[in-house]
């Protein structure tokens, strides 16, 4: 196991990898709770909880200077949306390993250097090779 995924045992449950493929799912409907926020609660319940962002979900780990968690719906601006990039930073700060699919990052026009500090950018095949390190793989 590499140093980036070696985390001390924090809970009794098995090591888990949580895979997110879609970005901003339910952002308007679930402004108070979203998948990344929920993962923070799991941290103490499992031996290790790591996160893999793939597809459009990789945008959650891209740092942007002008990002505001808001959306315009007709004439109304909804500015109480979750700050997903902040949540990725929180996950890293709490000891989660956050893997980001390099192919998806570049396919969406972003440079891997623009990812949130502490995330691990990997080729999709390399990410798949890590799956046996986990007792469970969840698609969130």
């Amino acid at each position: 196991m590499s140093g980036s995924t070696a985390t001390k045992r924090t809970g009794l449950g098995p090591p888990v990898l949580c895979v997110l493929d879609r970005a901003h799912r339910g952002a308007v409907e679930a402004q108070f709770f979203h998948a990344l926020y929920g993962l923070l609660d799991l941290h103490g319940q499992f031996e290790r909880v790591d996160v893999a962002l793939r597809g459009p979900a990789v945008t959650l780990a891209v740092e942007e200077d002008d990002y505001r968690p808001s959306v315009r719906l007709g004439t109304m601006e909804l500015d109480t949306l979750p700050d997903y990039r902040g949540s990725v930073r929180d996950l890293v700060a709490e000891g989660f390993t956050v893997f980001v699919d390099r192919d998806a990052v570049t396919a969406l026009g972003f440079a891997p250097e623009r990812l949130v500090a502490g995330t691990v950018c990997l080729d999709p095949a390399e990410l798949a090779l890590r799956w046996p390190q986990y007792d469970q793989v969840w698609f969130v």
Side-chain angles (χ1 to χ4, degrees), residues 5 16 18 36 44 59 72 75 86 108 111 122 131 134:
T5 60
V16 175
C18 296
L36 295 178
T59 62
R72 181 163 293 285
T75 59
L108 291 168
L122 297 174
W131 286 25
Y134 302 92

Side-chain angles (χ1 to χ4, degrees), residues 26 57 66 126:
D66 59 352
E126 188 176 347

Side-chain angles (χ1 to χ4, degrees), residues 1 5-17 41-50 94-97 132-136 138:
M1 190 174 338
T5 60
T7 306
K8 67 178 182 165
R9 184 175 178 83
T10 59
L12 299 176
V16 175
L17 176 65
D41 284 339
L42 296 176
H43 194 238
Q45 298 176 32
F46 292 87
E47 179 179 331
R48 186 172 86 239
V49 179
D50 294 333
E94 288 295 321
F96 287 74
T97 298
Q133 296 176 11
Y134 302 92
D135 286 354
Q136 299 178 12
W138 299 350

